Amino acid sequence: QGDPLVLRLRRVVTPAATKSMMMPHGRPLVFLQALLALLLVQVHVHAHPIVHDEPESATRDAMVDSGEWVDVRGSPVIMTGTNVVFKGAPWIPSVSGDAICALTLETGNETSCQTFNALDAQHIVGLGYNLVRLGVTWAGAQLEESGELDSAWLDRLHAFLDLAHEQGLYVLLDLHQDAVGTATCGEGVPMWFSQLAVPDDIGEPIWPLPDLADGTCGRNDTDGWAQYRGDVDYNIRNECCRKRNQGPWGDLITTTQAQKTMAFLFSLEGRAHYVDFVGKLAAAVDQYPAAIGIELMNEPPFYLRGMMYETWQACTEAIRAQSPTIAVGISDPGNAALPIGDLDLRSSTVEWLESEPHLFYCFHWYGTPNTPTAAVDNAVKLASKWGMPALLTEFGGYGGSYGCDTQNAAAAAGVGSAYWHYSDYCWPKHCPDGSPDGYCPLPEGDRWGACITGWGSGNNSFTC
């Protein structure tokens, strides 16, 4: 009733004004009155819209502010910790259990955890850590094209975030992939996405892989690769996949199918699906303060940097529509930290990088460049140029001084880090039929990850 524009319009349509608009025969300009009345209704509707109360975003336990990580009090914080990644169903560990890294001797799985519970959280806090980089894999989260996130998956994610907040742990959500996705024997993009990206290649020989020593699973083994064609568990059920995603599984990354899939993902059409998933993930964690950041892709297996960064920008915009302050982690091909500056980036992309206030630069070190100190220096220089902090989100927590040299190089530069990894989360690991670890026949019953694409060397107590 007090809207100024509405009051002004009401003053226009007064009896006196109506009289002044009489036509020669005394008839008022009824159509003008009706038009003004309609305008009044429309203005009134727009002036007083129906407001749906939206919950405010949670205050993050930590966030990126003015180019550095700060805690909930605004004090600078260096985050160090470990990786927790399920490479298969149910994709996120249960928080149940009453033992650290609960052993399951009855299943013959002596060293691979099945859960991450309160005692695990207390254990790593006791080691001096405050961060878990949690794998959130697209294939496990969004089971169909443009669908909502799976409710069971969300329940596990929310339980993990609640546990972390209660135990004083920050959680970085790692959009994990290795070897691109299910259809190329890895984990990451869902089978339904690969069916959009490379519809004629599903269940075909993965080119140009040569025959293995036993003469199988090469470019001519059409029967071997066709087994379980299109199955959501193709990567763990197809025998050729099971032979290929162990040992030197990195050969899968550069195959024709893998690179065609990534080219589609970073194109406008494919990007829309990825952005849809990322936006829904941001909405799902907005009310959980332990969720401090989303790392947009683990070790991006692609070489066209400009297309990648345009995708990072689109993903960030989708995240910002849901969560105004959660940090967003960007990275270069393979998460390698190299001295490449703004190479292949549009000026508009660089402007965005320099102006978006809650970004951070993610990098890994597994030997490229030749020392961890060089990797840290490169990452810090590039991140500083763009006005953001760097974070070493993966390095090998093993190998004598190897892991400690890496962790110490990061710490010396004021850079946080997360070692690989807390547990193998390998299902099933030790084989009752005597097969090598990770090659077991798949049993029925509960699952806890997958023995694929670099699952070994779990260490729940790595320290320097």
Side-chain angles (χ1 to χ4, degrees), residues 303-332:
Y303 62 96
L304 294 179
R305 192 178 186 226
M307 291 175 66
M308 282 175 45
Y309 272 76
E310 289 166 14
T311 302
W312 301 161
Q313 182 173 357
C315 287
T316 303
E317 290 167 355
I319 291 170
R320 287 290 162 262
Q322 304 297 334
S323 182
T325 60
I326 193 169
V328 179
I330 60 169
S331 57
D332 276 313

Side-chain angles (χ1 to χ4, degrees), residues 16-223:
T18 301
K19 184 177 181 179
S20 69
M21 290 185 277
M22 298 286 279
M23 296 183 73
H25 297 288
R27 293 179 180 177
L29 299 178
V30 177
F31 77 94
L32 183 56
Q33 288 180 303
L35 179 63
L36 289 171
L38 179 61
L39 181 60
L40 274 171
V41 171
Q42 290 181 337
V43 169
H44 192 76
V45 168
H46 288 292
H48 302 282
I50 297 174
V51 177
H52 299 282
D53 292 334
E54 295 289 344
E56 293 186 4
S57 297
T59 300
R60 303 278 137 223
D61 288 343
M63 61 181 289
V64 171
D65 184 47
S66 301
E68 64 178 348
W69 284 100
V70 297
D71 63 18
V72 71
R73 297 178 298 276
S75 301
V77 61
I78 295 178
M79 293 177 292
T80 57
T82 188
N83 279 260
V84 172
V85 178
F86 270 27
K87 297 190 176 187
W91 301 102
I92 293 175
S94 166
V95 298
S96 64
D98 56 4
I100 296 170
C101 198
L103 302 182
T104 55
L105 299 180
E106 70 279 4
T107 64
N109 195 61
E110 293 93 345
T111 60
S112 185
C113 302
Q114 295 186 20
T115 66
F116 186 92
N117 57 44
L119 291 177
D120 292 302
Q122 293 162 17
H123 174 63
I124 65 171
V125 169
L127 295 175
Y129 293 129
N130 59 9
L131 173 69
V132 170
R133 180 179 182 246
L134 177 67
V136 286
T137 305
W138 190 9
Q142 193 174 38
L143 306 184
E144 57 186 27
E145 180 181 349
S146 303
E148 296 305 312
L149 302 189
D150 180 65
S151 59
W153 184 89
L154 282 174
D155 288 344
R156 283 177 170 265
L157 174 60
H158 291 158
F160 194 102
L161 294 173
D162 282 338
L163 171 71
H165 182 63
E166 293 165 2
Q167 299 297 331
L169 285 171
Y170 306 124
V171 179
L172 172 59
L173 303 174
D174 154 35
L175 273 60
H176 205 87
Q177 72 76 37
D178 292 301
V180 177
T182 306
T184 47
C185 304
E187 80 287 341
V189 307
M191 178 60 77
W192 63 258
F193 182 83
S194 292
Q195 289 169 332
L196 295 174
V198 288
D200 297 332
D201 295 336
I202 303 300
E204 295 296 320
I206 296 181
W207 189 266
L209 296 177
D211 289 346
L212 295 171
D214 62 4
T216 66
C217 301
R219 60 180 68 97
N220 297 313
D221 188 359
T222 54
D223 290 341

